[in-house]
Amino acid sequence: MKERIEIISGDITQSDADAIVNAANCSLLGGGGVDGAIHMAAGPELLAECRTLDGCRTGEAKITGGYRLKAKHVIHTPGPRWRDGTHGEPELLASCYRSCLRLAAENGCATVDFPSISTGVYHFPLDRAAEIAVRTIAETLEQYPSITRVRMVCFDSRTQRAYADALAAL
Ligand code: AR6
């Protein structure tokens, strides 16, 4: 299902996909990085809805409206914080991508844009994260024919290169 995956550079807050994914934390109450940027662009109504959700476990996901974003929905997923790789980090990261795509399909989203989950403040090694992300997305898309396009929206060239290399190696 590699054909439905694209790697692009850009700012995910400008995305016009049906759903964008937020690399959140377990509180779902905002933070820095892409989480802060998404809340800033979506407006205070997003935080108000997030307050009703009672947080989210690492590797799981919850969906909200997109409010002032072009995207109709935001899917919030707390990625794993990297410790040493022996605390389930790879499995939890794969679970983030699976959980988000399941929610997208259940909510009628045909196009989904992801940021590079866990590779910022959470320090997941970039090359491993990229390999897990593209492999998990490709495998999961087999189950969801209604999702026609998934993009990895990379904020910097190093990240874009890592995901492009991982996709090419699939
Ligand atoms: N568009 C696309 N990607 C972005 C954007 C953007 N506007 N802004 C940053 N990135 P991070 P994490 C990239 O740290 O590692 C937050 O405080 C960034 O360059 O945002 O999962 C949460 O509340 C990097 O490649 O997320 C959590 O506490 C990627 O997004 C914690 O950080 C992820 O970096 C989550 O840490």
Side-chain angles (χ1 to χ4, degrees):
M1 291 301 136
K2 192 175 164 171
E3 302 72 27
R4 288 190 260 154
I5 305 175
E6 294 174 19
I7 313 298
I8 63 167
S9 72
D11 175 354
I12 204 165
T13 65
Q14 302 305 307
S15 163
D16 60 2
D18 295 327
I20 65 168
V21 172
N22 180 16
N25 59 60
C26 291
S27 77
L28 299 186
L29 298 180
V34 72
D35 192 3
I38 289 172
H39 276 276
M40 185 82 79
E45 297 90 347
L46 178 61
L47 183 59
E49 184 176 358
C50 285
R51 285 192 200 286
T52 69
L53 297 179
D54 198 26
C56 185
R57 293 200 184 119
T58 302
E60 298 182 3
K62 292 193 177 176
I63 191 165
T64 65
Y67 299 96
R68 298 178 199 178
L69 299 168
K70 279 182 237 159
K72 292 194 242 346
H73 300 279
V74 180
I75 300 174
H76 307 262
T77 186
R81 194 187 291 270
W82 181 263
R83 290 162 74 184
D84 57 6
T86 70
H87 292 79
E89 297 95 327
E91 294 77 11
L92 287 166
L93 186 63
S95 175
C96 287
Y97 286 94
R98 279 196 298 268
S99 301
C100 290
L101 291 172
R102 185 178 63 240
L103 269 183
E106 286 170 0
N107 287 274
C109 302
T111 55
V112 185
D113 281 359
F114 282 91
S116 175
I117 299 167
S118 284
T119 67
V121 174
Y122 282 178
H123 292 298
F124 203 108
L126 180 58
D127 289 345
R128 284 190 69 182
E131 191 274 324
I132 291 165
V134 297
R135 178 167 40 80
T136 305
I137 293 167
E139 285 170 6
T140 308
L141 281 179
E142 308 263 5
Q143 285 172 253
Y144 301 120
S146 64
I147 301 178
T148 57
R149 187 194 73 198
V150 174
R151 297 190 300 198
M152 292 299 314
V153 181
C154 303
F155 207 48
D156 59 81
S157 55
R158 184 173 158 258
T159 300
Q160 188 179 6
R161 206 158 37 243
Y163 282 84
D165 288 351
L167 184 61
L170 260 195

